[in-house]
Amino acid sequence: MFALPLGDDAQLRPLEPWQAREFLEHMDRARPYVDPWIPWATFSTDLVTAEATLQRYADRQAEDSRRIYGIWLDGTLVGGVMFTSFDTASGVCEIGCWLEEKGAGRGLVTRACRVLIDWAFTERAMSRVEWWVAAGNTRSIEAARRLGMTREGVLRGRYPYRGARQDSEIWAVLAEEWPPTEGPAPDVKAELDRLMHAFLGAFTNTGGGRPNVDIVREVFVPQGMIISNVGGEPVVHDLDSFVAPREKILNDGTLTEFSEWEVAERTEIFGSIAHRFSRYRKSGCLNGEWFEGSGHKTTQFVRTPAGWKMSSLSWDDE
């Protein structure tokens, strides 16, 4: 049996039916993080069903149509990667991943997925590797982006899960695009991701936490503009007129349990300027009534002597 090193005392190995008990123990730890996104985790709830899950992959591997591998960290199974489909006739395959909390933040999934993509392109002459992900699964979306994949579209309401229709994003990389071109752009993209994450997180007050709305002034240039285009006429704010009312309602009990997060984005970088088009979702309790919403943002960035900053942001709620 092979074992490929992933660094940080981690290894990538085949995951087979005889390891069902270890897989079940891992899945019990991982279920809160995995179950919202990977339906087959729902079916691995005891030793019999865990073994059946792995046996299905073993059977498909014998047909050369699927494969599954585990990630071990310090000797403990903490996640894995798989070919959820492998079609040699069309030259197209799909990969996926999962991880429990212990393995997060180490880059293990990215390194393991690179092994699978390399093998698919170099050993099996595949033409295209796909990554299908639920639109709200931001960690998986970030993994696809780190792998150099391109977001190709969204299939709305593609499948039912837990009583609701779910959107699927499609990401992919082609053989001629692999490995991704090295250069400064990924570092810039990471900085823009950080700015957007900080901006959205500034308004979070879930679990009794206090928001830090002043972060808005840190991520924007002082002359920044924030524009609401929700109604019939745009409402243009400078930073002070935007921050003050939101700071009030987020701290006086008017708006509680509020959070807002990106579910999709497209970022373009041109030298010292950049543009990002985002889809977001939000939820909270306004005046005692729970609400959920979504919409789109368009954000402009500029590179300054102090680093990248936001220069303007506009949004429209759906």
Side-chain angles (χ1 to χ4, degrees), residues 119-159:
W119 182 80
F121 285 145
T122 61
E123 298 293 331
R124 301 304 305 275
M126 301 299 273
S127 298
R128 173 182 169 89
V129 176
E130 296 181 342
W131 186 282
W132 291 60
V133 54
N137 191 349
T138 54
R139 288 186 177 181
S140 184
I141 290 169
E142 286 302 314
R145 184 178 292 111
R146 286 193 298 271
L147 291 166
M149 292 187 166
T150 297
R151 181 176 179 267
E152 298 183 336
V154 178
L155 298 181
R156 297 175 297 166
R158 174 174 168 258
Y159 65 96

Side-chain angles (χ1 to χ4, degrees), residues 3-162:
L4 296 178
L6 296 175
D8 294 333
D9 295 319
Q11 293 182 327
L12 181 69
R13 307 181 206 159
L15 188 54
E16 300 175 345
W18 65 270
Q19 297 163 303
R21 185 174 297 281
E22 185 178 13
F23 174 68
L24 176 62
E25 292 171 356
H26 154 62
M27 194 52 59
D28 286 341
R29 297 189 302 269
R31 205 174 308 280
Y33 310 96
V34 174
D35 201 37
W37 313 117
I38 304 179
W40 58 253
T42 305
F43 306 119
S44 302
T45 56
D46 55 30
L47 188 58
V48 172
T49 53
E51 184 174 1
T53 295
L54 297 182
Q55 187 63 54
R56 283 194 295 273
Y57 273 91
D59 294 342
R60 299 294 86 78
Q61 178 166 335
E63 299 171 355
D64 199 22
S65 62
R66 291 185 186 182
R67 284 174 169 78
I68 190 168
Y69 306 91
I71 297 173
W72 277 262
L73 177 64
D74 297 324
T76 300
L77 180 64
V78 296
V81 290
M82 65 273 199
F83 287 106
T84 56
S85 66
F86 200 86
D87 186 349
T88 56
S90 66
V92 177
C93 60
E94 177 194 347
I95 64 174
C97 66
W98 79 95
L99 203 63
E100 68 175 77
E101 187 177 24
K102 179 182 177 181
R106 297 170 178 262
L108 299 179
V109 160
T110 302
R111 281 175 250 163
C113 285
R114 283 180 180 146
V115 172
L116 266 61
I117 298 173
D118 275 330
W119 182 80
F121 285 145
T122 61
E123 298 293 331
R124 301 304 305 275
M126 301 299 273
S127 298
R128 173 182 169 89
V129 176
E130 296 181 342
W131 186 282
W132 291 60
V133 54
N137 191 349
T138 54
R139 288 186 177 181
S140 184
I141 290 169
E142 286 302 314
R145 184 178 292 111
R146 286 193 298 271
L147 291 166
M149 292 187 166
T150 297
R151 181 176 179 267
E152 298 183 336
V154 178
L155 298 181
R156 297 175 297 166
R158 174 174 168 258
Y159 65 96
Y161 187 53
R162 295 187 178 276

